[in-house]
Amino acid sequence: MSYEIFDEEMEAIQRAEVFLESRNISSQVVEKAFKTLLKDYGKLFKSVKRLMRLSDRNEQKLKEVTTSLDEKNNMLEDLSGKLAKYLSPQVYELIFSGAKKVQLTTDRKKLTIFFSDIKDFTATTDDLEPEDITFLLNDYLTEMSEIALRYGATIDKFIGDAILIFFGDPATRGVREDAMACVQMAIEMQRHMMDIRTKWKEMGYTRPFHMRVGINTGFCNVGNFGSADRMDYTIIGGEVNLASRLEGVADPDGITLSHETYTLVNDFINAEKGESISVKGIRRKITPYKITGIFNDTNEERRFLRSDRNGIKIFVDFDKLDEESRSLAIDDMRAAIKRLSKLDEKTDNSE
Amino acid sequence: MDNIKINRTERSPDIDFNFQNNVFSIRGESYPEDVPAFFGPPISSLESYLDGVSEGNVEFNFELIYFNSTSAKVMMKLFDFLDETARKGVNIAINWFYESDDDNMEELGIEFGEDLEAAAFNLKPIEA
């Protein structure tokens, strides 16, 4: 059975037509007026139906456009999410929020620059399979990036095993605060390297990485460099070279600062003055400062515990232990301590 | 009567009423904020002019990409008026231009044209 939404209106017209045909209208004037009214009603009814159809068509078109827009938006979101992984989050935010124009412009800013690499990377990885090198390098870069982002750093780029990071752009907390954040980040990275090395050793990698870090504070050009078709948000200048040079003279597992950075953070760290060096592009002699200690050391607990001695081997990954595993581990340890104590007592008694 | 020429905006169509040549055109998209305010003055002028015409040829061109319901009501009213004018003895030709792949605009043209009794109605597809 078909459903007619205008059945009442159609019935009204039919009733009126039947009434007109019955010739029950006594007055000719009334009959004429009734005819006109009926004609106008018919016309109005037609207009309403037509307008409703038009409205329905427009709505359908709008729905199609909205659906297509939604699909395009989802595609763009997905794409921008993928692209974001190739950019530092701050730079991504700057571009996608429209705050920074994507054009070849640069600013001169005072930044604190962090440069690191792996000591003897080529020699260390010489005997490794490419898959192992990929794993180690990605693991290392992932862990370091997580720390860097936590400190609000702008990760400029990875150059093989080297990392270039800066503080002070796009956002700055002040030159001193930026320098402090950078040094604190570097310290946490070196501490965390001890944990990662423990993990790698446990996985069978006998020659784990040792990182060297150089940090400098100075004026750099920061912004988009390259061509109008392919640009890179990066920093350039002699001060960047200096950070790289300081990294070159740093000890393995060490952090070396320039005098400029050292003066900004010397309330926080203890450093040893090194011999002056010359750096290409910088006229003045450079005095490196090697961090030897940290004031206010929070002595944070580390994630792994590892001990490998004759007759005992312990490896604990505290992050991986759930409540049940922790309880079982405690039982194991207690049983071991109990037996070790008994052995100790026996040794004492026999003496 | 002076010719009327209103340039299109994002929401309103071009209006080109040439009273000397009896050629009248509405082209573009039509969803003005205030439809009566937009169409009122040119259509009133057109009606006053055609009220005084009882013979000759009149060409009316519609070339619309999109229009809202209120604009549609204006068109229907205009079609009625043109049909009445044709009944007086004026040769009215209404040309309904639409992009050849726009089924929606073609169907609307057919619907608008089906009530005309005296005016000639021509569907004119144009290459998209």
Side-chain angles (χ1 to χ4, degrees), chain B residues 55-71:
Chain B
E55 56 179 15
N57 298 323
V58 170
E59 184 182 314
F60 214 107
N61 301 308
F62 291 92
E63 191 178 327
L64 293 156
I65 304 157
Y66 168 83
F67 51 89
N68 63 5
S69 305
T70 317
S71 300

Side-chain angles (χ1 to χ4, degrees), chain B residues 18-31:
Chain B
N18 189 319
F19 297 96
Q20 270 77 53
N21 298 331
N22 277 349
V23 177
F24 306 93
S25 305
I26 299 178
R27 289 192 168 91
E29 295 193 50
S30 181
Y31 54 106

Side-chain angles (χ1 to χ4, degrees), chain A residues 147-161:
Chain A
I147 296 170
L149 294 177
R150 232 180 320 113
Y151 280 86
T154 303
I155 302 172
D156 186 320
K157 58 172 76 71
F158 304 125
I159 315 153
D161 60 304

